[in-house]
Amino acid sequence: MNTSGRVAIVTGGSRGIGRQVVARLAADGYALVVGYIGNQAEAEAAVEEARAAGAEAIAVRGDVADEDAVAALFDAAEQRFGGVDVVVNAAGMMKLAPLATLDLDELDRMLRVNVRGAFAVDQQAARRVRRGGAIINFSSSLTRFSRPGYSAYAASKAAVSAITLILARELRGRDVTVNAVAPGPTATSLFLDGKDEQTIARMAAEPPLERIGTPEDIAELVAFLAGPGRWVNGQVLYANGGAI
């Protein structure tokens, strides 16, 4: 697929999977808008990596759960590059605790970022993505794993899956695909923080491929959905090496 002139917004693009998605789409020739909330240095580093690959790129700070900030993110993309073709909604947070002991303030924070944030970004994407474009959300394989301690996070990502499936059908006639990627355990700081080597080894042994996923694994799938995967629409794709 010819990606010349195509523009992608990647929220959560300064770290983890989002950072690798920026690099992968830059290699494909997209112009990139890196959305971030806190770490300007990491966001600027992602921009520099994209530019080193020959892509145009800018970083825009904003909270995905703030509708005005999200609108400003899309405004920046349109003003700098003329429009938006792909939106990758990779921003998210995770707090782990058993349901009985989880602080409800933490639940509210997670729902605000993971659910309200996905909704606000998708709302602007639904209004602005050009024909032939793609909206790619991030759910999680944890919606199927049913691991103790993940009830709140899994619930937030199940909501993202529901939003994705419905939005795909609401955009009938627009020639815009809407899908969600649902990674399994992936070697990012979000996943690795707080886990001992024994826990990580146990999770790595679960899929038939017998390893933890990498951000590169997930970015390849995103690149497919963003470009050549035009006949994949209204789906949640579980990228976990066959663990479920």
Side-chain angles (χ1 to χ4, degrees):
M1 181 176 182
N2 183 6
T3 60
S4 177
R6 283 170 69 85
V7 179
I9 293 174
V10 183
T11 70
S14 64
R15 300 179 64 197
I17 292 171
R19 174 80 164 262
Q20 190 60 43
V21 168
V22 169
R24 181 64 178 79
L25 295 183
D28 280 351
Y30 288 81
L32 274 304
V33 179
V34 179
Y36 72 101
I37 189 170
N39 196 322
Q40 183 175 358
E42 291 287 348
E44 292 296 344
V47 165
E48 289 306 314
E49 290 169 5
R51 290 173 177 169
E56 295 184 87
I58 60 172
V60 179
R61 185 171 186 168
D63 179 356
V64 292
D66 179 338
E67 61 268 38
D68 293 331
V70 174
L73 175 67
F74 279 76
D75 288 344
E78 291 174 343
Q79 291 164 9
R80 179 64 179 269
F81 300 121
V84 179
D85 301 286
V86 173
V87 174
V88 182
N89 195 9
M93 66 172 292
M94 180 167 61
K95 293 291 183 180
L96 304 182
L99 185 148
T101 59
L102 180 69
D103 186 326
L104 291 182
D105 288 340
E106 294 288 1
L107 173 65
D108 289 342
R109 288 182 60 216
M110 196 155 27
L111 293 176
R112 184 177 188 277
V113 175
N114 295 355
V115 181
R116 181 186 170 95
F119 202 99
V121 171
D122 280 1
Q123 193 169 64
Q124 289 295 324
R127 297 169 181 171
R128 306 209 205 189
V129 168
R130 295 185 287 205
R131 292 187 66 85
I135 300 169
I136 303 162
N137 292 323
F138 269 82
S139 181
S140 172
S141 289
L142 285 160
T143 60
R144 290 187 172 181
F145 285 153
S146 302
R147 289 194 203 281
Y150 288 86
S151 59
Y153 180 74
S156 73
K157 289 303 184 177
V160 173
S161 294
I163 290 167
T164 300
L165 300 182
I166 292 169
L167 180 58
R169 286 147 183 84
E170 290 181 346
L171 294 186
R172 174 181 290 274
R174 286 277 305 280
D175 191 24
V176 173
T177 62
V178 188
N179 293 289
V181 176
T186 306
T188 66
S189 59
L190 182 69
F191 168 75
L192 296 173
D193 287 352
K195 294 183 176 67
D196 58 32
E197 291 184 9
Q198 183 179 9
T199 299
I200 294 170
R202 175 176 55 78
M203 291 184 176
E206 289 176 350
L209 297 180
E210 296 186 326
R211 66 176 176 86
I212 296 293
T214 68
E216 290 82 0
D217 292 326
I218 309 305
E220 286 294 330
L221 179 54
V222 171
F224 172 73
L225 294 173
R230 298 299 304 163
W231 196 234
V232 181
N233 187 32
Q235 304 297 319
V236 179
L237 286 79
Y238 291 88
N240 54 48
I244 55 173

